Amino acid sequence: MKVFKFGGASINTAERIQNTGNILRSYSGGKILVIISAMGKTTNALEKVVDAFFEGRKEDALKLFEQVKESHLTLLKYLISINWQQAENRLKDFFTEVEWLLHDKPVRDYDYYYDQVVCCGELLSTSLVSDYLNETGIKNKWLDVRDIVRTDDNFRDAYINWKYTEQKIKTDVEPLFAEYDIVLTQGFIGSTDENESTTLGREGSDFSAAIFANILNAESQTIWKDVEGVMNADPKEFPDAQVIDALSYREVVEMAYYGAQVIHPKTIKPLENKNIPLHVRCFLKPDIAGTVISNKPVHNLPPIIVLKKNQVLMELSSKDFSFVEEKPIAQLHEMFSQIKIRPNLSQNGAVSLLCCLDDKTEKIEKLALAASEIFDVQLEKNLTLLTIRHYSREKYEELTKGKTVLLMQRTPETVQVLMR
Ligand code: ASP
Ligand code: MG
């Protein structure tokens, strides 16, 4: 059994949905659990619907939702001919669920509504793709993952109830493979004991796929993307970025920690626990192997570069020139956890502390204000944090040339530089 995850870009046009079908057809005979994201930018569009609804702009919310409906209905017309009525009715049922909610007034908190509305992106895309595949002879069983993946009610970042979910996958999903080669369902969403929809955090469907891979003891998981694999840098910033053939789980976790937007960070653990290799492959070039991520240590990696822009340097100095000791440091950490902000880099000196943070303006202001009770606080904005794993002196010099380095930290494997 394999687990495939198709991201939003792999199904954002009729041709791409057909292409996804061709990929699945090329694996016919095998058993595949398929996880699909919302189409293209649907999740962003649905976020705007929730914002409008929550701000009391009901008409705007309905209008914005109308666009989401249109884009799905248009694709449906294009892709499905024989069973279009049935397929359309399925989409319409999901539309109704959302519209019914949009007609109400918000009485609960934002995150709750977010999940009830945003989850429909995945329900619509999977329903459409499943009907299309069935019509073209790629027989598959569609499932509402909310009947399977159980979570707590920490809306927008819900926590998986592994025990319940495992039981459900064993009793309700695994047996379906006796009759079907393909079982197709949603990533990113789940539900609570009370049948409320939940989401697992943006880009969470990589993680959903890993949950299924773990519980089904899959031989592998594949994430189909619009890039040729995991690259050593963002090709938009570094045109000579290259695909890395093989990576270890550990390396990928490290890359995610430093801010590389490769794979949802929660994805690795369920795979690592069962030693399931993760392939990252390109749906536009299914003939090339892409990247494989496994427990095998990989040597001679190229320098891996992560750039984080929009950084703030906060300098916290003791007010009376005394040493910065444990107590104020502990107080500062308490502030970090209360404000839910984590420094990307920090360094202690005798009478001051330096922290590099993402410039989330509201949080930075809160932190600066709270910290000014115990420290003198100075801020510098518009900085860039460069991380190079497996660095060489040449690479370091090339990437810091002409910049002012404000802070630097180095281990044998990783160098981090905050620069202006
Ligand atoms: N559709 C969701 C998002 O765009 C989840 C995902 O694609 O993984 O964040
Ligand atoms: Mg995505």
Side-chain angles (χ1 to χ4, degrees), residues 171-184:
T171 56
D172 294 16
V173 182
E174 211 159 23
L176 293 171
F177 284 100
E179 190 183 340
Y180 296 91
D181 285 345
I182 297 178
V183 175
L184 188 152

Side-chain angles (χ1 to χ4, degrees), residues 19-122:
N19 175 66
T20 294
N22 292 337
I23 292 176
L24 288 172
R25 193 175 281 116
S26 74
Y27 283 90
S28 64
K31 304 283 178 193
I32 313 177
L33 186 286
V34 178
I35 297 281
I36 300 188
S37 299
M39 264 170 47
K41 298 270 172 268
T42 305
T43 305
N44 295 353
L46 290 168
E47 286 182 340
K48 297 218 171 74
V49 174
V50 188
D51 290 349
F53 165 75
F54 200 70
E55 287 160 15
R57 295 181 284 116
K58 175 174 142 187
E59 295 311 317
D60 287 347
L62 287 165
K63 223 185 270 164
L64 288 164
F65 189 60
E66 206 57 42
Q67 292 167 15
V68 173
K69 288 165 62 178
E70 282 306 314
S71 60
H72 287 84
L73 289 172
T74 307
L75 270 179
L76 182 135
K77 281 202 192 91
Y78 198 88
L79 287 167
I80 300 172
S81 45
I82 307 166
N83 292 317
W84 69 271
Q85 188 63 68
Q86 204 185 327
E88 190 176 281
N89 289 344
R90 286 224 294 168
L91 295 192
K92 285 186 170 163
D93 284 345
F94 294 126
F95 297 158
T96 310
E97 250 181 71
V98 173
E99 280 167 337
W100 185 70
L101 180 147
L102 295 181
H103 278 287
D104 265 352
K105 280 210 173 64
V107 288
R108 295 183 60 170
D109 68 359
Y110 177 85
D111 291 352
Y112 165 79
Y113 289 109
Y114 181 101
D115 285 3
Q116 309 320 303
V117 172
V118 166
C119 72
C120 101
E122 270 59 20

Side-chain angles (χ1 to χ4, degrees), residues 269-375:
K269 192 165 174 268
L271 299 177
E272 198 257 352
N273 283 350
K274 293 237 175 129
N275 206 355
I276 299 167
L278 172 62
H279 299 270
V280 178
R281 295 182 59 185
C282 183
F283 59 78
L284 297 166
K285 297 182 182 171
D287 297 333
I288 60 176
T291 303
V292 57
I293 299 158
S294 70
N295 68 350
K296 294 199 192 79
V298 179
H299 304 289
N300 301 323
L301 283 171
I304 295 176
I305 303 162
V306 185
L307 269 188
K308 270 183 158 249
K309 295 189 172 166
N310 222 356
Q311 299 292 298
V312 189
L313 177 64
M314 190 176 281
E315 179 166 7
L316 306 150
S317 319
S318 60
K319 291 194 172 185
D320 53 2
F321 210 68
S322 61
F323 285 141
V324 177
E325 283 167 329
E326 271 150 55
K327 191 164 170 233
I329 293 180
Q331 284 171 310
L332 183 65
H333 281 277
E334 182 57 37
M335 290 173 206
F336 287 152
S337 78
Q338 260 174 19
I339 299 171
K340 291 195 178 135
I341 192 165
R342 185 180 66 92
N344 296 320
L345 190 64
S346 63
Q347 204 154 293
N348 295 4
V351 292
S352 72
L353 280 168
L354 295 168
C355 300
C356 163
L357 305 136
D358 290 338
D359 192 359
K360 294 181 183 143
T361 311
E362 202 185 313
K363 293 193 174 190
I364 295 293
E365 277 169 10
K366 253 194 211 162
L367 180 64
L369 187 68
S372 65
E373 303 264 317
I374 27 178
F375 299 103

Side-chain angles (χ1 to χ4, degrees), residues 59 81 138 146 153 160 177 238 266 283 328 353 359 376:
E59 295 311 317
S81 45
I138 306 171
R146 295 173 302 177
D153 62 359
I160 303 293
F177 284 100
F238 300 94
K266 286 184 189 162
F283 59 78
L353 280 168
D359 192 359
D376 279 332

